[in-house]
């Protein structure tokens, strides 16, 4: 029964992140190539999901906490996301695509937290210790990272054999078609997930506001959150600019962008399983945090060089290293300094700042920075219209490299390591 439970929950998590990973690594390149979208316009499209992540989790959380079993909500949301993804794939204008992206994001964003809650709910019913339960979640959550990788491989085969789409020529977005297809499978799987009923006790959707007292009560917490916010904005350069950079700057074929970018997820799995726990035990929180933050400028500096191409592609691994070290360390730090009665609220506050607000600001910043270093040229089809031309990718990536180096220095100078309370090795959290 335990293996069966792990299997169905792992499959749910696999598809949960496969539908996201199908489009995120490559859509920016498609928008720039097929719709001549500017960096700011691409940032606006990508930013929709992060806005939804700020708004809708409270709504979705209240629905499953009060009125509806979680797996039913997941199935309904996945079905709506599947339909909206297919509609997005058929849009020939940014306005139309953005409208359907809003529909997709509003229903997808709540499921990120709900799938985690489903896993923890069913693991809590098993005779497991806290450490065993956390490791069980780690195993199941890793299936999501595997799903992200597999979706990139599927997209490669989906695109293989198709002729390249000339720049400025519209064609349906295959990555969004794949998102829709995977969404159908998630819809089906959701209804096989064991029943996860609403909580008997209604929860306050604004309970996380209790965590704001940490700014006043914990020395260094405000500085930590400010640095985390700034560092997380630079995280978005991986999502937004890497695809166009690979296609335009490195001349990587469109169908290979997603598989090459998945190098980051391979590295993430290895780091979460081996190197992050090892670093935490040997060096502690501060050094682990600094090492992880420095992984990002190393990648950006290699990107700025643009050669040799094998080194540039290998540097994708620094994305996974950076996430595994920085975000896991941050989650452990927040867990240590927060009183037991507001630990969940403190984690929600960190996610809101570092993943919600920072990600949205980061998408806008990276898109506009790309435009700043872009030479605009007349549209061959309409001389009165200017479209993006050559991009100075070296300058684009030098900015986040400098910013993240400063963030690493700030962590080294101002981060205050709290006393150890729990087994750090048991805390392994996955994301992208």
């Amino acid at each position: 029964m335990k293996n069966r439970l792990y299997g169905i929950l792992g499959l749910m998590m696999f598809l949960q992140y496969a539908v996201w990973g199908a489009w995120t690594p490559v859509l920016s390149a498609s928008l720039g190539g097929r719709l001549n979208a500017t960096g700011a316009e691409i940032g606006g499209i990508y930013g929709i999901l992060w806005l939804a992540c700020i708004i809708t989790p409270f709504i979705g959380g209240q629905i499953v906490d009060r009125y509806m079993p979680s797996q039913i909500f997941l199935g309904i949301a996945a079905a709506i996301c599947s339909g909206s993804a297919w509609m997005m794939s058929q849009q020939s204008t940014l306005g139309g695509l953005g409208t359907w992206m809003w529909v997709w994001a509003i229903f997808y964003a709540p499921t990120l937290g709900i799938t985690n809650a489903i896993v923890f709910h069913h693991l809590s019913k098993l005779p497991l210790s806290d450490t065993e339960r956390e490791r069980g979640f780690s195993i199941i959550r890793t299936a999501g990272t595997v799903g992200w990788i597999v979706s990139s491989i599927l997209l490669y085969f989906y695109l293989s054999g198709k002729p390249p789409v000339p720049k400025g020529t519209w064609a349906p977005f295959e990555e969004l078609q794949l998102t829709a297809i995977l969404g159908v499978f998630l819809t089906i799987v959701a209804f096989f997930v064991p029943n996860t009923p609403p909580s008997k006790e209604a929860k306050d959707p604004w309970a996380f506001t209790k965590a704001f007292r940490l700014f006043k009560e914990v020395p260094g917490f405000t500085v930590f959150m400010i640095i985390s916010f700034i560092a997380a904005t630079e995280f978005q350069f991986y999502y937004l600019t890497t695809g166009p950079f690979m296609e335009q700057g490195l001349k990587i074929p469109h169908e290979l962008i997603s598989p090459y970018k998945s190098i980051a997820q391979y590295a993430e799995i290895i780091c979460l399983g081996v190197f992050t726990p090892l670093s935490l035990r040997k060096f502690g929180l501060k050094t682990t945090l600094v090492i992880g933050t420095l992984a990002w400028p190393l990648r950006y500096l290699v990107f700025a060089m643009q050669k040799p191409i094998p080194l540039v592609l290998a540097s994708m691994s620094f994305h996974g290293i950076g996430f595994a070290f920085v975000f896991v360390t941050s989650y452990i730090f927040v867990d240590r300094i927060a009183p037991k009665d507001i630990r969940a609220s403190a984690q929600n506050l960190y996610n809101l700042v570092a993943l919600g607000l920072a990600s949205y600001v980061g998408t806008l910043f990276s898109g506009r920075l790309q435009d700043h270093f872009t030479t605009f040229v007349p549209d061959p089809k309409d001389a009165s219209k200017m479209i993006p031309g050559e991009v100075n990718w070296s300058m684009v990536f030098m900015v986040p490299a400098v910013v993240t180096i400063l963030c690493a220095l700030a962590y080294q100078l101002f981060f205050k390591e709290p006393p150890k309370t729990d087994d750090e090795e048991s805390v392994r959290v996955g994301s992208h």
Side-chain angles (χ1 to χ4, degrees):
M1 290 296 293
K2 178 182 176 182
N3 291 338
R4 187 175 180 181
L5 176 65
Y6 273 53
I8 190 66
L9 294 179
L11 182 58
M12 173 194 72
M13 200 66 80
F14 175 94
L15 291 166
Q16 172 72 25
Y17 286 88
V19 298
W20 190 6
W23 69 265
T24 301
V26 71
L27 182 62
S28 57
S30 297
L31 292 175
R34 300 182 186 185
L35 298 183
N36 288 320
T38 66
E41 289 170 336
I42 296 171
I45 294 294
Y46 272 66
I48 291 172
L49 175 59
W50 301 119
L51 282 176
C53 284
I54 296 170
I55 300 168
T56 61
F58 305 113
I59 300 173
Q62 284 296 285
I63 292 174
V64 300
D65 281 339
R66 296 171 183 263
Y67 308 113
M68 183 184 296
S70 296
Q71 80 280 4
I72 300 297
F73 180 89
L74 176 62
I76 294 172
I80 295 173
C81 286
S82 179
S84 58
W86 188 266
M87 292 302 298
M88 272 195 286
S89 73
Q90 306 302 308
Q91 302 302 308
S92 58
T93 65
L94 287 170
L97 192 147
T99 298
W100 285 105
M101 177 64 84
W102 266 112
V103 178
W104 187 89
I106 286 172
F107 283 92
Y108 181 78
T111 64
L112 289 169
I114 288 171
T115 49
N116 288 343
I118 288 174
V119 174
F120 279 120
H121 173 83
H122 291 288
L123 291 181
S124 68
K125 293 184 174 182
L126 299 177
L128 303 173
S129 67
D130 288 344
T131 297
E132 290 172 331
R133 188 158 45 249
E134 289 170 354
R135 286 177 176 167
F137 175 77
S138 175
I139 292 170
I140 294 170
R141 177 57 188 82
T142 301
T145 304
V146 175
W148 188 289
I149 294 170
V150 170
S151 67
S152 70
I153 297 172
L154 292 174
L155 183 61
Y156 168 75
F157 287 109
Y158 196 43
L159 293 172
S160 294
K162 294 186 177 182
V165 178
K167 183 172 174 57
T169 302
W170 179 83
F173 297 97
E174 295 91 349
E175 57 267 45
L176 293 169
Q177 291 177 339
L178 179 60
T179 299
I181 294 169
L182 292 170
V184 172
F185 286 100
L186 178 58
T187 302
I188 296 170
V189 168
F191 291 105
F192 285 91
V193 171
N195 185 45
T196 313
S199 173
K200 294 181 180 179
E201 298 179 1
K203 294 181 174 63
D204 177 8
W206 299 102
F208 83 97
T209 58
K210 297 177 183 177
F212 278 93
R213 74 189 200 208
L214 295 174
F215 286 104
K216 181 178 180 181
E217 297 175 357
V218 178
F221 183 72
T222 300
V223 173
F224 165 77
M225 292 294 278
I226 292 173
I227 301 171
S228 297
F229 175 87
I230 296 172
T233 62
E234 309 312 292
F235 197 62
Q236 294 308 308
F237 279 81
Y238 167 78
Y239 294 112
L240 202 72
T241 61
T242 304
F245 163 65
M246 293 173 69
E247 188 169 48
Q248 300 168 21
L250 304 182
K251 309 302 180 184
I252 299 292
H254 188 75
E255 66 272 15
L256 290 176
I257 291 175
S258 194
Y260 279 141
K261 288 184 72 174
S262 69
I263 291 172
Q265 280 66 55
Y266 289 105
E268 179 186 320
I269 292 174
I270 296 171
C271 283
L272 288 173
V274 180
F275 295 113
T276 304
L278 185 64
S279 178
L280 287 168
R281 283 201 309 269
K282 189 171 182 63
F283 302 119
L285 294 182
K286 175 184 279 192
T287 301
T288 301
L289 197 59
V290 172
I291 292 172
T293 306
L294 287 174
W296 293 336
L298 284 175
R299 179 191 54 175
Y300 293 135
L301 289 172
V302 173
F303 277 18
M305 294 189 302
Q306 301 188 54
K307 59 184 180 182
I309 291 180
L311 177 63
V312 177
L313 296 177
S315 72
M316 298 286 178
S317 61
F318 289 124
H319 170 83
I321 295 170
F323 173 83
F325 276 57
V326 172
F327 284 99
V328 170
T329 303
S330 297
Y331 289 139
I332 294 172
F333 168 73
V334 173
D335 186 70
R336 277 200 202 174
I337 55 91
K340 289 184 178 180
D341 62 323
I342 62 167
R343 279 181 177 174
S345 298
Q347 296 288 358
N348 286 335
L349 175 60
Y350 174 78
N351 284 333
L352 175 67
V353 172
L355 296 181
L357 296 173
S359 294
Y360 178 67
V361 172
T363 57
L364 301 184
F365 173 64
S366 55
R368 292 184 183 278
L369 186 68
Q370 179 181 323
D371 285 345
H372 181 74
F373 292 111
T374 297
T375 301
F376 285 78
V377 298
D379 187 343
K381 299 178 182 179
D382 182 0
S384 64
K385 180 182 178 182
M386 303 295 286
I387 60 173
E390 292 294 321
V391 181
N392 186 338
W393 292 110
S394 294
M395 292 304 300
V396 169
F397 291 117
M398 284 301 296
V399 173
V402 171
V403 172
T404 45
I405 287 172
L406 292 176
C407 286
L409 180 62
Y411 278 132
Q412 179 64 36
L413 294 176
F414 302 113
F415 180 79
K416 299 181 182 297
E417 183 151 352
K420 183 176 180 180
T421 57
D422 294 320
D423 177 12
E424 293 170 351
E425 185 177 1
S426 68
V427 184
R428 301 176 188 173
V429 184
S431 186
H432 302 282

